[in-house]
């Protein structure tokens, strides 16, 4: 079963005041296309809803009454042709008819995952949830200060990981598939490393029982995934959430994994 509380708009907009105000200002002007980039399409849609929920009540009700999520182009055309002045969230791969709908007076919002792109009149890219604002928003739903800070850290301030840790989303991520999860165990054991440091490269090679370059190729495919278990900034690699990976990887750890880890640890700190 899921958690015994509901999320609030502040949980999804925490630390994103600039993006919230940008979206609200755009909707207060002439019809256009708006692309919202997030970790996933669902997060982009949740952000849109959260941003609208924080409007003044009269404008909020006006926007809510005009907003509609559509999942295919046929429905998009039907709604767009039969109603006026709508805000249509187009949750689909191809949106060939959006430009004519904008000309007919509709706002078209395109929610995008991290690996998707769309050239819109306005592009809003969501930053990470705020380091201080996100735990503060968790306290608003009943979490203690310590619980909120721990959840913020364990989730890496990713709403996707947070929802999974708290039981809102029970679907297993793609990278947790038995055919993939073993590749993440060396990264999980290290947590983070710098590919420009020879010592870090040697540790990764030993833990993966492979050449450093070969192991990195296995990880690289996940960098652009909407629910990435790992990310890279410059030469620095870091797992998104140790707890999230551990939840799925722990069942696949072997005695040899711990033996190699112990050997690496002892050789590093001897």
């Amino acid at each position: 079963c899921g958690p015994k509380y509901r999320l609030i708009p502040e949980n999804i907009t925490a630390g994103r005041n600039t993006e919230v105000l940008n979206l609200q200002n755009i909707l207060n002007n002439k019809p256009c296309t708006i692309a919202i980039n997030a970790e996933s399409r669902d997060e982009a849609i949740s952000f849109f809803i959260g941003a609208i929920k924080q409007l003044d009540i009269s404008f909020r009700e006006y926007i809510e009454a005009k907003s509609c999520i559509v999942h295919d182009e046929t429905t998009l055309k039907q709604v767009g042709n039969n109603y006026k002045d709508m805000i249509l969230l187009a949750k689909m791969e191809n949106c060939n008819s959006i430009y004519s709908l904008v000309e007919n007076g509709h706002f078209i919002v395109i929610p995008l995952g991290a690996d998707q792109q769309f050239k819109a009149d306005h592009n809003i890219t969501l930053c990470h949830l705020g380091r201080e604002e996100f735990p503060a928003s968790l306290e608003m739903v009943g979490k203690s200060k310590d619980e909120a800070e721990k959840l913020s850290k364990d989730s890496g301030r990713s709403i996707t990981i947070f929802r999974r840790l708290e039981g809102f989303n029970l679907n297993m991520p793609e990278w947790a598939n038995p055919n993939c999860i073993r590749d993440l165990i060396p990264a999980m054991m290290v947590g983070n490393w710098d590919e420009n440091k020879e010592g870090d490269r040697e540790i990764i090679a030993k833990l993966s029982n492979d050449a450093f370059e070969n192991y990195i190729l296995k990880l690289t495919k996940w960098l652009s995934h909407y629910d990435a278990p790992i990310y890279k900034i410059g030469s620095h690699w870091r797992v998104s959430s140790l707890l999230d990976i551990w939840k799925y990887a722990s069942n696949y750890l072997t005695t040899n994994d711990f033996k190699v880890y112990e050997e690496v640890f002892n050789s590093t700190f001897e």
Side-chain angles (χ1 to χ4, degrees), residues 11-179:
N11 297 141
I12 192 69
T13 62
R16 294 168 167 173
N17 292 340
T18 299
E19 292 84 352
V20 169
L21 290 174
N22 189 13
L23 176 61
Q24 293 174 348
N25 289 334
I26 293 170
L27 293 175
N28 207 20
N29 284 285
K30 64 180 182 179
C32 61
T33 55
I34 310 167
I36 302 176
N37 272 94
E39 286 186 356
S40 68
R41 279 181 169 174
D42 287 340
E43 181 182 1
I45 292 173
S46 296
F47 170 80
F48 176 88
I49 295 171
I52 300 310
K53 291 289 186 184
Q54 295 178 65
L55 289 167
D56 292 336
I57 187 167
S58 58
F59 191 35
R60 184 190 77 201
E61 291 178 344
Y62 170 73
I63 294 295
E64 288 178 337
K66 300 201 307 175
S67 299
C68 177
I69 300 175
V70 291
H71 297 268
D72 60 81
E73 190 162 9
T74 299
T75 304
L76 183 68
K77 290 179 179 179
Q78 289 176 343
V79 175
N81 292 331
N82 290 305
Y83 295 88
K84 295 182 178 180
D85 304 324
M86 295 289 289
I87 301 173
L88 303 174
L89 282 78
K91 191 179 180 182
M92 62 197 72
E93 291 295 335
N94 298 308
C95 308
N96 297 321
S97 60
I98 64 170
Y99 299 105
S100 61
L101 293 174
V102 169
E103 292 176 358
N104 290 337
H106 302 293
F107 283 93
I108 306 295
V109 180
I110 302 97
L112 301 171
D115 59 342
Q116 298 172 309
Q117 293 183 342
F118 185 88
K119 188 175 181 180
D121 296 319
H122 299 276
N123 286 79
I124 299 175
T125 300
L126 300 186
C127 62
H128 241 46
L129 292 166
R131 189 179 302 275
E132 297 179 358
E133 294 88 345
F134 184 49
S137 76
L138 295 179
E139 292 184 53
M140 295 170 66
V141 296
K143 297 293 183 182
S144 68
K145 184 176 181 64
D146 289 343
E147 288 175 329
E149 290 181 351
K150 186 177 187 303
L151 270 171
S152 178
K153 182 179 180 180
D154 288 345
S155 66
R157 289 179 287 124
S158 161
I159 198 67
T160 302
I161 296 175
F162 166 79
R163 287 171 58 86
R164 193 156 53 234
L165 293 178
E166 284 292 273
F168 287 101
N169 182 2
L170 301 179
N171 294 326
M172 185 176 71
E174 184 180 348
W175 50 260
N177 184 291
N179 295 325

Side-chain angles (χ1 to χ4, degrees), residues 215-235:
Y215 179 67
I216 289 302
L217 284 176
K218 297 176 183 178
L219 294 185
T220 300
K221 67 179 181 181
W222 296 114
L223 291 177
S224 61
H225 194 266
Y226 82 91
D227 190 8
I230 193 164
Y231 59 91
K232 181 188 179 194
I233 301 176
S235 63

